[in-house]
Amino acid sequence: QVQLVESGGGLVQAGGSLKLSCAASGRTFSSSVMGWFRQAPRKEREFVAAIKWSGAITSYTDSVKGRFTISGDNAKNTVYLQMNSLKPEDTAVYYCAADSYIPNYKLGDPRSYAYWGQGTQVTVSS
């Protein structure tokens, strides 16, 4: 089992920044791939970004490219999501997810991830 705990959410004005953290514990060798998803009210959960520890591969959804950066500290089993130039449409609950192996073409599919955190709210005011 892998436990994921997110932190860093909050309320920010449009144009501002937030940095989310996700700490993994337990069988952390099962979290070789870690991702961020978000879900706004009445919308489906959508992919934001992912990182593979092996090869440091990163992937982003188009709407956040150039604004969000995913990074990680392998020694701390922690992944981060630096969010800059935030927009009201970024408002959502942000979830951290992990799994041991996911092919690149499935990084954006939430069904690929076995482990999920409880989520952290991000609210961007206009």
Side-chain angles (χ1 to χ4, degrees):
Q1 286 285 354
V2 175
Q3 292 79 43
L4 303 173
V5 179
E6 303 101 331
S7 61
L11 173 64
V12 64
Q13 289 188 332
S17 299
L18 281 175
K19 186 174 184 177
L20 306 183
S21 300
C22 174
S25 61
R27 294 165 61 93
T28 55
F29 61 85
S30 296
S31 59
S32 298
V33 181
M34 297 186 75
W36 287 97
F37 290 77
R38 65 188 181 186
Q39 188 166 18
R42 299 174 297 281
K43 291 188 176 181
E44 292 187 355
R45 192 167 297 190
E46 67 168 345
F47 172 71
V48 177
I51 185 168
K52 287 188 168 183
W53 296 120
S54 174
I57 294 171
T58 59
S59 178
Y60 297 90
T61 192
D62 287 345
S63 64
V64 307
K65 286 180 180 177
R67 300 189 298 124
F68 292 10
T69 303
I70 189 169
S71 62
D73 186 332
N74 206 359
K76 295 182 179 180
N77 296 309
T78 299
V79 66
Y80 306 97
L81 185 68
Q82 176 67 47
M83 306 185 294
N84 299 327
S85 302
L86 282 162
K87 305 175 181 179
E89 51 263 43
D90 294 317
T91 295
V93 177
Y94 282 70
Y95 296 91
C96 177
D99 209 305
S100 57
Y101 172 76
I102 300 173
N104 290 350
Y105 73 95
K106 284 194 171 183
L107 288 174
D109 187 344
R111 297 170 295 179
S112 301
Y113 297 79
Y115 304 104
W116 291 84
Q118 81 288 352
T120 185
Q121 177 71 45
V122 171
T123 302
V124 184
S125 63
S126 57

